[in-house]
Amino acid sequence: MFTRTRFDTPCRIEIDNSDKACHAHVELAGGYLIQPGDKVRVHGDPIHVPFGGHAVIERTATIERARWFERAWTRLAGHFEMTELYEVSFTPGRIA
């Protein structure tokens, strides 16, 4: 309850760097669900995929589960930080 649970699991990294898509996805083996406050660290050297390239790499990841109060704090803080996404603009004069 007051200590973090930490464990390793295999993972699959898929990276696409092209004009159609630019993404990197990590898929954890075992179907682990990552929740607010959890930390995931993928081990190994940095991966460089040149433009137009695609790579699928197998690595090991360490999952560190958040404690209950860290999870609650992360959820609460997330609601307040969401306001940064709001855009407010002021237009001079009237809009017809």
Side-chain angles (χ1 to χ4, degrees), residues 20-95:
K20 293 184 170 98
C22 182
H23 67 262
H25 296 282
V26 175
E27 191 175 311
L28 301 171
Y32 293 107
L33 177 65
I34 303 302
Q35 298 179 11
D38 291 348
K39 296 179 184 179
V40 177
R41 181 177 180 173
V42 178
H43 302 281
D45 294 330
I47 302 168
H48 300 283
V49 178
F51 184 74
H54 178 82
V56 177
I57 301 164
E58 302 289 328
R59 294 265 176 100
T60 300
T62 299
I63 300 173
E64 189 173 346
R65 296 287 189 197
R67 296 174 280 228
W68 69 269
F69 56 88
E70 291 172 317
R71 192 172 314 287
W73 175 255
T74 302
R75 285 185 181 171
L76 179 66
H79 289 293
F80 290 109
E81 290 185 17
M82 191 173 79
T83 59
E84 292 179 17
L85 300 175
Y86 300 151
E87 181 179 332
V88 178
S89 66
F90 297 95
T91 306
R94 296 181 75 173
I95 299 177

